[in-house]
């Protein structure tokens, strides 16, 4: 018998009255039949309740999503709307039928699963509503794409960029809502449900996290991208091609440069040239004295564009590059400066696939070797003049742009390019400076500007400049060990609150040169700078080969020296220094914080830290693929 009580379905199964004594075995079949009927009815009801999920699964299938995306990049959002309507209808039907499972919730474990399904299905309805709102916000941007997809004339491009500018606030709100939605899903209790359902819940959270990251990346590029895409006015870039096989402070030696102008998303100018062509024309005319280390250890008598990136603070280096570009005869305005290493080009090749340049197949793995061989010695074999030895880089860049234009799946290409740009900006293989204040502030907020960061706590950054070591840096293994102790003036451990307690740091930098003597690699000659908190006092240095000087720049104290590491050899230089009182007071008042910044252009240098502050001890081991922040709340 069926009845509804308190908005729940109640099933009553009448059983025959059992006899008071004897003959109970006659009723066992009746009891078994009743239990079986109860189970079979439960299975039937479950199938009835779950049937709409098949429709929902079809609406959200990979093949359906591909159809929707293909239509969307042509400006047709109708398939997306139909898909969302199907999904909403199926989920509503499923939620309406959940009441039919109420009679079985007394079975052990069923109650927890029903509670979970009700919560998740409710959040699913909310998520589909969010998707519909996002589609409404994106439609004005997608609509002008019809019917030509990503290939469009200037009026279409300007219409789309104008729509992006208009819709950005709404898209930002959607991202905030997505973050809130993800937190609500994360808060759903999974206690008592099956392991399989727990794994499914984890997969849902992972997908939401990826979606959140994707939306954030997209918004980051959209917010900064409009001016950089040449909207509403054309934007001109000076691109510094830095070779991180010959490391310099902002990523590598500037062997070539490019000029790129973008107008409403279209490239209207793109040239690549050897930096020596520009520098040679200015020789004897500028007479600019180079930084002293370039004079002392590289026999550099004049300063040119190729050495302009001496400051590790990229905004300063970029302004210096613009200054040299114009003084050496470079024409036209420069709105922004981009510095990139071959690592970026290799990552782009991994997206578009191998290219054929001058009969050679260039892949992400062979790019650096082929370029160095062509520029270093093959040009002479081919009979090219010295001034044209880097022309291959221009052909490679042009072919790379053309290959991007040939990728059939434009949405997949855009997603992959966004990922490559994001990763290389975070890993400081790609740096951007803009003369537009709003854009520069946005770059700085996202830490994409290649800045030496200001900190209230502890700080560490090692900066190397390869001076006359050919292309040896890929063969150099670097490691960094940091040791921090709270000590009194007698060198004994102390509590930070003690009057004479201070923080004493020790940084050891180790180099291992795995290179051999050949046309491309040699002994490693580096001018090293160690940036530490302003006001730090050098106590002792061991392992130095040349005199160590102390300077102040970029709001930091800097210890500087020169090192030479022979092929097959190694060297460790260790600095001991006392941190300033301001850092000790900050640690005592707030917490311990150490920002370790990586030098642009370097791979993931290993870092190991050992910290003893008062009675508290902790260790950290990280790689410096990106900047790392180490924090510890002291008891």
């Amino acid at each position: 018998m069926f009845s509804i009580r308190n908005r729940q379905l109640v099933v009553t199964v009448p059983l025959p009255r059992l006899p008071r004594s004897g003959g109970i075995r006659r009723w066992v079949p009746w009891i078994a039949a009743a239990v079986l009927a109860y189970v079979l009815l439960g299975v039937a009801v479950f199938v009835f309740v779950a049937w709409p999920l098949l429709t929902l699964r079809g609406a959200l299938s990979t093949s359906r999503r591909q159809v929707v995306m293909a239509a969307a990049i042509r400006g047709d959002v109708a398939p997306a709307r139909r898909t969302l309507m199907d999904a909403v209808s199926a989920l509503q039907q499923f939620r309406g039928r959940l009441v039919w499972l109420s009679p079985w919730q007394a079975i052990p474990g069923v109650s927890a699963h029903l509670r979970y399904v009700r919560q998740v299905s409710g959040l699913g309805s909310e998520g589909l509503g969010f998707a519909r709102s996002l589609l409404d916000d994106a439609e004005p941007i997608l609509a002008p794409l019809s019917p030509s997809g990503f290939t469009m004339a200037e009026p279409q491009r300007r219409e789309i960029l104008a729509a992006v500018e208009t819709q950005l606030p709404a898209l930002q709100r959607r991202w905030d809502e997505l973050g809130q939605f993800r937190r609500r899903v994360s808060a759903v209790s999974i206690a008592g449900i099956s392991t399989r359902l727990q794994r499914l819940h984890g997969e849902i959270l992972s997908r939401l996290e990826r979606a959140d990251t994707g939306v954030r990346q997209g918004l980051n590029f959209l917010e900064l991208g409009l001016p950089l895409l040449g909207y509403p006015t054309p934007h001109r870039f000076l691109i510094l091609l830095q070779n991180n096989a010959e490391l310099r402070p902002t990523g590598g030696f500037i062997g070539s440069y490019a000029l790129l102008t973008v107008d409403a998303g279209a490239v209207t100018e793109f040239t690549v040239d050897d930096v020596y062509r520009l520098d040679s024309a200015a020789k004897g005319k500028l007479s600019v004295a180079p930084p002293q280390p370039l004079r002392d250890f590289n026999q550099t008598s004049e300063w040119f564009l190729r050495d302009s990136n001496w400051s590790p603070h990229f905004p300063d280096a970029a302004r210096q590059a613009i200054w040299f570009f114009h003084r050496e005869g470079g024409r036209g305005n420069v709105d922004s400066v981009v510095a990139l290493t071959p690592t970026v080009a290799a990552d782009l090749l991994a997206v578009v696939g191998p290219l054929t340049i001058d009969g050679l197949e260039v892949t992400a793995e062979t790019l650096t070797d082929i370029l160095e061989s062509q520029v270093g010695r093959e040009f002479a074999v081919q009979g090219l003049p010295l001034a044209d030895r880097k022309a291959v880089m221009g052909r490679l860049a042009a072919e790379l742009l053309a290959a991007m234009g040939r990728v059939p799946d434009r949405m997949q290409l855009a997603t992959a390019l966004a990922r490559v740009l994001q990763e290389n900006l975070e890993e400081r293989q790609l740096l951007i400076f803009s003369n537009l204040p709003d854009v520069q502030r946005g770059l700085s907020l996202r830490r994409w500007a290649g800045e030496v960061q200001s900190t209230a706590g502890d700080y560490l950054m090692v900066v190397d400049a390869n001076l006359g070591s050919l292309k040896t840096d890929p063969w150099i293994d670097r490691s960094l060990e940091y040791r921090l102790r709270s000590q009194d003036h007698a060198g004994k451990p102390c509590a930070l609150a003690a009057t004479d307690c201070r923080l004493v740091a020790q940084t050891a930098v180790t180099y291992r040169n795995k290179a051999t003597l050949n046309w491309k690699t040699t002994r490693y000659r580096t001018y090293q700078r160690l940036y530490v908190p302003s006001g730090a006092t050098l106590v002792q240095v061991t392992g130095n080969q040349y005199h160590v000087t102390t300077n102040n720049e970029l709001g930091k104290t800097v210890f500087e020296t020169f090192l030479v590491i022979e092929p097959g050899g190694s060297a460790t230089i260790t600095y001991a220094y006392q941190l300033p009182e301001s850092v000790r007071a900050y640690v005592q008042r707030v917490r311990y914080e150490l920002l370790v910044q990586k030098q642009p252009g370097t791979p993931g240098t290993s870092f190991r830290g050992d910290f003893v502050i008062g009675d508290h001890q902790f260790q950290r081991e990280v790689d410096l693929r990106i900047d790392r922040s180490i924090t510890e709340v002291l008891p």
Side-chain angles (χ1 to χ4, degrees):
M1 184 172 65
F2 299 89
S3 62
I4 301 293
R5 298 177 187 172
N6 297 325
R7 301 179 65 184
Q8 291 190 344
L9 179 69
V10 178
V11 179
T12 304
V13 181
L15 295 176
R17 189 174 180 181
L18 295 177
R20 293 181 182 274
S21 62
I24 192 170
R25 281 181 294 180
R26 288 186 304 161
W27 299 100
V28 169
W30 290 95
I31 296 172
V35 171
L36 180 61
Y38 183 72
V39 172
L40 291 176
L41 181 61
V43 171
V45 170
F46 176 79
V47 171
F48 169 73
V49 171
W51 194 260
L53 294 181
L54 295 177
T55 303
L56 181 64
R57 182 179 180 182
L60 302 179
S61 66
T62 301
S63 59
R64 186 80 171 265
R65 289 201 306 270
Q66 290 173 344
V67 171
V68 166
M69 293 299 292
I73 63 174
R74 295 193 304 271
D76 182 8
V77 298
R81 292 198 182 281
R82 286 195 297 271
T83 295
L84 285 173
M85 288 178 63
D86 291 345
V88 168
S89 175
L91 191 56
Q92 286 177 343
Q93 192 176 18
F94 170 71
R95 295 188 67 202
R97 293 181 179 185
L98 281 175
V99 66
W100 288 82
L101 293 176
S102 301
W104 286 268
Q105 64 184 359
I107 298 176
V110 172
S111 178
H113 284 79
L114 274 178
R115 183 189 66 249
Y116 173 79
V117 170
R118 288 192 184 103
Q119 285 183 281
V120 171
S121 61
L123 288 169
S125 295
E126 183 181 337
L128 291 173
F130 166 80
R132 293 172 69 175
S133 299
L134 183 60
L135 184 62
D136 290 339
D137 294 334
E139 186 173 9
I141 300 172
L142 297 172
L145 290 173
S146 178
S148 55
F150 279 83
T151 304
M152 64 196 80
E154 182 180 353
Q156 281 178 288
R157 295 197 307 271
R158 290 194 177 277
E159 185 179 355
I160 290 171
L161 293 173
V164 169
E165 186 176 39
T166 301
Q167 295 299 109
L168 261 178
L171 293 173
Q172 180 67 52
R173 288 194 298 272
R174 296 294 170 240
W175 179 49
D176 294 338
E177 292 171 3
L178 177 60
Q180 296 168 11
F181 176 71
R182 182 167 63 90
R183 287 189 288 273
R184 285 196 291 275
V185 174
S186 180
V188 172
S189 173
I190 58 174
I193 65 175
S194 67
T195 303
R196 183 176 181 181
L197 209 53
Q198 289 180 5
R199 285 198 299 267
L200 178 61
H201 187 79
E203 184 180 339
I204 291 172
L205 285 174
S206 296
R207 290 189 177 187
L208 284 173
E209 186 173 351
R210 289 196 297 271
D212 185 73
T213 300
V215 173
R216 174 174 55 83
Q217 290 175 347
L219 284 174
N220 277 334
F221 289 117
L222 287 177
E223 288 170 357
L224 296 175
L226 289 175
L228 300 180
L229 286 171
Y231 180 84
T233 58
H235 200 87
R236 194 169 193 241
F237 297 87
L238 170 62
I239 302 175
L240 307 176
L241 303 177
Q242 302 185 130
N243 188 352
N244 54 358
E246 188 176 349
L247 193 62
R248 288 295 175 89
T250 66
F253 180 73
I254 304 171
S256 301
Y257 72 97
L259 294 170
L260 171 70
T261 299
V262 183
D263 185 9
V267 175
T268 59
E269 174 198 22
F270 183 65
T271 61
V272 181
D273 203 355
D274 188 339
V275 73
Y276 283 93
R277 195 189 304 274
L278 198 62
D279 288 351
S280 297
K283 192 170 184 179
K285 300 176 183 178
L286 286 181
S287 299
V288 180
Q292 195 63 41
L294 285 173
R295 282 188 170 192
D296 294 342
F297 301 106
N298 206 44
Q299 291 77 52
T300 302
S301 57
E302 293 183 81
W303 202 11
F304 294 105
L305 176 60
R306 61 180 179 266
D307 292 319
S308 61
N309 58 345
W310 188 252
S311 172
H313 186 67
F314 187 64
D316 289 351
R319 293 186 187 98
Q320 192 71 66
I322 294 173
W323 187 90
F324 275 113
F325 173 75
H326 285 134
R327 294 303 185 280
E328 293 182 15
R331 297 182 178 180
N333 66 300
V334 173
D335 298 306
S336 295
V337 180
V338 174
L340 55 88
T341 68
T343 303
V344 181
D347 288 347
L348 292 174
L349 272 175
V351 171
V352 302
L355 303 177
T356 301
I357 308 295
D358 298 338
L360 296 172
E361 184 181 67
V362 183
T363 67
E365 293 74 26
T366 62
L367 169 68
T368 300
D369 287 340
I370 288 177
L371 286 180
E372 288 177 355
S373 179
Q374 288 292 109
V375 171
R377 57 182 182 178
E378 290 300 318
F379 76 94
V381 176
Q382 297 165 0
L384 295 174
L386 183 66
D388 294 335
R389 66 193 180 106
K390 295 182 180 178
V392 63
M393 300 182 70
R395 294 194 293 275
L396 173 65
E399 182 57 29
L400 184 59
L401 288 175
M404 291 180 190
R406 294 192 294 267
V407 174
D409 191 333
R410 310 302 287 169
M411 185 61 72
Q412 183 178 356
L413 173 65
T415 303
L417 291 179
R419 175 183 53 78
V420 168
L421 292 176
Q422 174 94 12
E423 289 177 355
N424 281 282
L425 284 165
E426 291 179 352
E427 295 177 12
R428 308 186 91 186
Q429 303 292 346
L430 174 64
L431 308 175
I432 307 175
F433 166 79
S434 181
N435 276 319
L436 302 180
D438 288 344
V439 173
Q440 184 60 23
R441 276 193 295 271
L443 293 168
S444 182
L445 284 171
R446 292 164 177 81
R447 296 197 172 186
W448 291 351
E451 296 171 316
V452 173
Q453 297 292 327
S454 298
T455 58
D458 202 356
Y459 179 87
L460 190 64
M461 182 181 185
V462 178
V463 175
D464 282 306
N466 175 333
L467 300 182
S469 306
L470 303 177
K471 307 299 183 285
T472 305
D473 275 281
W475 301 91
I476 301 298
D477 277 347
R478 294 174 179 81
S479 60
L480 195 58
E481 292 196 8
Y482 186 72
R483 183 176 180 269
L484 183 70
R485 298 290 186 269
S486 58
Q487 299 176 348
D488 61 20
H489 286 80
K492 297 180 179 179
C494 60
L496 279 183
T499 305
D500 63 343
C501 196
R502 56 186 184 161
L503 289 174
V504 178
Q506 179 178 289
T507 298
V509 188
T510 298
Y511 301 84
R512 295 177 179 84
N513 187 352
K514 300 185 296 182
T516 58
L517 291 172
N518 56 53
W519 69 274
K520 189 168 65 172
T521 61
T522 182
R523 62 184 55 84
Y524 193 60
R525 296 163 41 87
T526 178
Y527 190 79
Q528 182 201 80
R529 284 177 279 181
L530 179 69
Y531 287 78
V532 298
S534 179
T537 305
L538 187 63
V539 176
Q540 184 183 26
V541 182
T542 59
N544 57 305
Q545 303 165 0
Y546 290 79
H547 178 66
V548 175
T549 60
T550 301
N551 292 304
N552 293 283
E553 65 176 19
L554 303 173
K556 310 293 180 188
T557 292
V558 191
F559 307 133
E560 308 183 22
T561 191
F562 187 70
L563 296 167
V564 179
I565 302 97
E566 295 294 330
S570 64
T572 298
I573 182 168
T574 303
Y575 301 86
Y577 51 95
Q578 180 180 328
L579 295 180
E581 170 61 22
S582 60
V583 173
R584 189 202 67 82
Y586 181 83
V587 174
Q588 184 181 357
R589 186 177 68 255
V590 184
R591 61 181 178 179
Y592 178 75
E593 295 178 359
L594 169 64
L595 175 61
V596 188
Q597 285 200 268
K598 70 164 289 185
Q599 179 179 358
T602 56
T605 302
S606 65
F607 171 89
R608 183 178 183 276
D610 182 66
F611 309 84
V612 180
I613 304 175
D615 295 329
H616 191 65
Q617 182 173 354
F618 58 99
Q619 291 81 34
R620 295 288 189 276
E621 288 191 33
V622 296
D623 68 85
L624 298 182
R625 185 177 53 84
I626 59 175
D627 292 351
R628 300 293 186 182
S629 182
I630 295 171
T631 62
E632 184 79 5
V633 177
L634 304 181

